[in-house]
Amino acid sequence: MRIRATEIIEQEFDLDAPDGLGGEELERWVKDAMEDFPGPSSFVGVVSRSWEIVR
């Protein structure tokens, strides 16, 4: 029997945001930074796990 599991994990990243950003401006900056940021993160834990039987 083959089972396929999907896990969603939670990680924390350290980013150095420019001073003075707030609201939507800060959200856009974080979105752009995370697209280019494969850097180090801290594993927090598994948030959810689902599974299904694969036939």
Side-chain angles (χ1 to χ4, degrees):
M1 179 186 304
R2 182 178 297 257
I3 303 293
R4 178 179 299 130
T6 302
E7 290 185 347
I8 299 172
I9 61 171
E10 184 174 323
Q11 294 175 288
E12 292 180 350
F13 295 85
D14 291 321
L15 299 175
D16 292 323
D19 292 335
L21 292 181
E24 290 181 13
E25 197 175 40
L26 179 59
E27 287 185 32
R28 279 194 301 273
W29 184 89
V30 170
K31 181 181 175 197
D32 290 344
M34 288 304 293
E35 287 176 358
D36 299 330
F37 188 76
S41 66
S42 300
F43 178 73
V44 176
V46 174
V47 175
S48 69
R49 177 180 292 139
S50 61
W51 58 272
E52 63 180 303
I53 297 174
V54 180
R55 300 197 186 266

